[in-house]
């Protein structure tokens, strides 16, 4: 009997121990579930906050922009000129520090236009942002490889009229107004424009036409006007319009407002060029990779009527460019420019510059003080694999468009 009792006790004990273990396991599992749920809860709360803020942004009415004209009543009120119309006398929100409010500041009024609720940052003038103005560029003709014929042509049509206008007047000839440089990306068009500005002692003013379309929407025509105004003021000057095709591409219809805006910018450019009569001290250069899509109106006489092709460099050109970009590098004797030029067929000046930089890095990585031929050969392979944009063949039917192609 007592044996049986002992057995029963043991069985009950075992059952209890098993049950405790099961409960502990369940407890652990519930705890980990709780942890997961708490984490999910935290994530959902964060998401909820985000969406609440987004909804707030969507439903909040717009504020009104205004300029402070005068601060009144020791900073209690102010006279502002609102962009919606009349001058208003408005209150100043208590969050705004009275001392910081000065005439001329840009502020935001609440929706009812009754209170200044925020001081805004000064808006950067897009005209200043759009232009790169260099009084004396650092690039000279000797920094450009493989383009001696092109440099000669540019000297005649850009540099001479700027440096010796009398010569043209005496001979009774008019230099071309606009010069279009075309060719694959990275062949040195910008470099040439900068160098000719330097050699002619002219101010270099550069605008990138694609930015009118992407960055300065609605300001294109004004920027063009201001660029020409500045060029007249800074004359002798060279206006360089990069990526001209962004505003100068042929269009079949001008349906969207974006296209109309591009068209307005182009019309302003043409009007400025047409209005320029004695253009001896301001020369206009433009660059494009896509002359095939340009609006023929741009290529008419009196506009971009001189077109100069800037091709990818040939073998000798590549040797020259290698020499230019390794001028400051310490090289071992085995570096052979001819061989490098041979294995870089189809490379542009920008590609060759990339090869030289990469070769330098190869030496740096190997902890060497000078750059070897192998560093260059590895760099050539690297650049070949990384060349994002393949040079494209560019078609030009100059005769049809009445253009003189040099
Ligand atoms: P994109 O059409 O992309 O504007 P681009 O033709 O204007 O190109 P650049 O900006 O002048 O080309 O060239 C890019 C860089 O490549 C230059 O700063 C220069 O270092 C190098 N480079 C290009 N062409 C030459 C060249 N002919 N001689 C020496 N360096 C060159």
């Amino acid at each position: 009997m007592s044996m049986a009792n002992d057995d029963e006790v043991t069985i009950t004990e075992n059952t209890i121990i098993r049950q405790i273990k099961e409960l502990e396991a369940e407890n652990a599992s519930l705890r980990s579930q709780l942890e997961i749920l708490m984490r999910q809860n935290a994530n959902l709360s964060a998401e909820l906050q985000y969406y609440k803020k987004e909804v707030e942004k969507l439903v909040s009415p717009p504020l009104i922009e205004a300029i402070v004209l005068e601060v009144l009543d020791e900073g209690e009120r102010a006279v502002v000129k609102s962009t919606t119309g009349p001058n208003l006398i408005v209150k100043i929100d208590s969050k705004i520090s009275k001392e910081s409010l000065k005439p001329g500041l840009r502020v935001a009024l609440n929706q009812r236009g009754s209170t200044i609720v925020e001081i805004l940052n000064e808006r950067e003038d897009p005209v200043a942002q759009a232009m790169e103005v260099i009084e004396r560029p650092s690039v000279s003709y000797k920094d450009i490889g493989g383009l001696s014929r092109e440099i000669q042509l540019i000297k005649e049509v850009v540099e001479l009229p700027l440096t010796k206008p009398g010569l043209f007047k005496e001979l009774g000839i008019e230099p071309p107004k606009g010069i279009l440089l075309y060719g694959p990306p990275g062949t040195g068009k910008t470099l040439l424009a900068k160098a000719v500005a330097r050699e002619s002692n002219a101010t270099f003013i550069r605008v990138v036409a694609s930015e009118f379309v992407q960055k300065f929407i609605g300001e294109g025509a004004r920027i063009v006007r201001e660029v020409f105004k500045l060029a007249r003021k800074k004359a002798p000057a060279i206006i360089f319009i990069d990526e001209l095709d962004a505003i100068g591409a042929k269009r079949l219809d001008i349906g969207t407002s974006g296209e109309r805006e591009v068209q307005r910018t182009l019309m302003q450019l043409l009007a400025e060029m047409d209005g320029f009569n004695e253009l001896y001290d301001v020369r206009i250069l433009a660059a494009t990779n896509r002359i095939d899509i340009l609006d023929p109106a741009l290529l008419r006489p009196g506009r971009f009527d001189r077109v100069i092709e800037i091709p990818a460099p040939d073998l000798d050109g590549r040797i020259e460019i290698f020499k230019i970009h390794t001028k400051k590098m310490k090289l071992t004797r085995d570096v052979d420019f001819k061989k490098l030029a041979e294995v870089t067929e189809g490379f542009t000046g920008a590609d060759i510059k990339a090869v030289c930089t990469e070769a330098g890095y190869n030496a740096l990585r190997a902890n060497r003080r000078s750059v070897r031929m192998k560093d260059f050969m590895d760099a050539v392979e690297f650049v070949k694999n990384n060349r994002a944009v393949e040079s494209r063949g560019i078609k030009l039917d100059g005769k049809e468009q009445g253009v003189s192609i040099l």
Side-chain angles (χ1 to χ4, degrees):
M1 187 69 190
S2 97
M3 274 275 277
N5 261 348
D6 278 357
D7 280 353
E8 259 170 42
V9 169
T10 314
I11 288 166
T12 319
E13 249 177 33
N14 284 346
T15 315
I16 289 171
I17 290 170
R18 204 183 60 240
Q19 277 176 349
I20 288 175
K21 276 191 182 150
E22 276 171 12
L23 281 172
E24 274 175 359
E26 203 177 331
N27 187 22
S29 145
L30 284 171
R31 268 178 196 282
S32 76
Q33 272 181 36
L34 179 67
E35 244 173 61
I36 293 171
L37 287 171
M38 275 166 68
R39 246 180 279 142
Q40 275 178 354
N41 184 29
N43 286 347
L44 287 170
S45 299
E47 219 171 301
L48 182 69
Q49 283 306 320
Y50 169 78
Y51 284 115
K52 268 191 182 161
K53 273 196 194 137
E54 285 300 296
V55 170
E56 252 169 47
K57 272 191 231 163
L58 287 172
V59 296
S60 64
L63 303 178
I64 302 164
E65 182 186 353
I67 305 289
V68 177
L69 298 179
E70 194 184 346
V71 181
L72 307 171
D73 308 337
E74 292 173 350
E76 289 304 314
R77 295 187 305 164
V79 183
V80 298
K81 177 157 192 58
S82 79
T83 45
T84 54
N87 292 354
L88 305 167
I89 298 173
V90 295
K91 293 211 173 69
I92 298 167
D93 193 286
S94 56
K95 287 197 303 266
I96 296 198
S97 121
K98 312 272 180 283
E99 296 74 47
S100 51
L101 212 59
K102 304 248 155 44
L105 272 187
R106 212 159 64 94
V107 291
L109 307 181
N110 63 354
Q111 305 78 282
R112 293 174 56 214
S114 60
T115 309
I116 297 177
V117 288
E118 199 182 327
I119 298 180
L120 304 172
N121 288 335
E122 282 306 300
R123 191 186 332 201
E124 258 202 78
D125 182 7
V127 173
Q129 273 181 290
M131 284 190 240
E132 179 192 10
V133 183
I134 311 177
E135 298 286 344
R136 189 171 162 74
S138 55
V139 181
S140 71
Y141 291 138
K142 62 179 184 346
D143 299 315
I144 305 173
L147 293 174
S148 48
R149 180 177 162 273
E150 290 75 11
I151 290 175
Q152 194 50 42
L153 293 172
I154 287 185
K155 275 187 172 180
E156 285 168 15
V157 291
V158 184
E159 191 183 315
L160 264 188
L162 284 170
T163 52
K164 298 199 170 71
L167 212 64
F168 286 80
K169 284 182 189 146
E170 217 177 294
L171 284 170
I173 51 167
E174 263 189 35
K177 264 190 192 176
I179 295 100
L180 181 65
L181 309 177
Y182 85 96
T187 44
K189 297 181 284 298
T190 310
L191 217 55
L192 258 174
K194 280 187 178 165
V196 73
R198 180 194 170 94
E199 309 279 343
S200 345
N201 287 322
T203 306
F204 176 78
I205 305 172
R206 174 175 179 252
V207 282
V208 182
S210 61
E211 292 187 349
F212 296 152
V213 186
Q214 292 151 15
K215 216 163 130 192
F216 305 114
I217 303 149
E219 301 279 359
R222 183 164 79 94
I223 296 172
V224 169
R225 235 179 0 254
E226 293 296 324
V227 164
F228 277 78
K229 210 160 105 189
L230 182 75
R232 284 188 195 100
K233 209 169 107 191
K234 297 256 178 194
I238 284 178
I239 298 175
F240 180 61
I241 306 167
D242 209 352
E243 301 179 28
L244 180 67
D245 44 280
I247 55 162
K250 287 185 255 225
R251 259 166 301 271
L252 295 175
D253 63 277
I254 48 165
T256 68
S257 62
E259 282 165 347
R260 273 198 297 275
E261 150 75 7
V262 167
Q263 186 74 359
R264 262 198 303 275
T265 309
L266 175 62
M267 294 319 253
Q268 187 64 44
L269 172 65
L270 297 180
E272 292 290 344
M273 288 186 84
D274 293 348
F276 252 60
N277 287 325
E278 38 2 302
L279 251 185
Y280 289 98
D281 54 0
V282 177
R283 317 261 74 214
I284 308 157
L285 267 90
T288 181
N289 311 322
R290 297 297 314 273
I291 197 169
D292 54 321
I293 61 163
L294 280 192
D295 191 326
L298 272 168
L299 304 169
R300 278 194 206 120
R303 291 169 181 172
F304 292 100
D305 51 2
R306 189 63 59 99
V307 178
I308 301 178
E309 184 186 1
I310 310 295
D314 60 9
L315 186 93
D316 289 334
R318 293 197 294 280
I319 296 178
E320 275 180 35
I321 300 173
F322 266 112
K323 285 186 182 159
I324 289 169
H325 288 291
T326 51
K327 223 168 30 204
K328 291 186 184 151
M329 289 168 81
K330 203 168 162 209
L331 309 178
T332 55
R333 281 162 153 236
D334 67 334
V335 175
D336 179 347
F337 291 129
K338 180 146 186 287
K339 178 87 204 298
L340 284 171
E342 279 165 5
V343 295
T344 48
E345 167 102 57
F347 275 40
T348 62
D351 294 329
I352 295 175
K353 183 184 182 188
V355 168
C356 298
T357 310
E358 188 57 29
Y361 271 107
N362 287 341
L364 202 74
R365 283 184 205 116
N367 236 339
R368 274 184 273 105
R369 296 283 171 99
S370 47
V371 190
R372 297 174 183 169
M373 185 64 175
K374 172 136 186 1
D375 296 325
F376 280 96
M377 294 304 272
D378 290 346
V380 168
E381 280 314 304
F382 176 83
V383 172
K384 243 184 212 165
N385 294 333
N386 280 280
R387 279 170 74 191
V389 189
E390 281 300 323
S391 308
R392 275 168 292 179
I394 290 167
K395 155 174 125 298
L396 170 75
D397 192 350
K399 279 200 191 93
E400 249 176 43
Q401 289 159 338
V403 178
S404 65
I405 306 163
L406 294 167

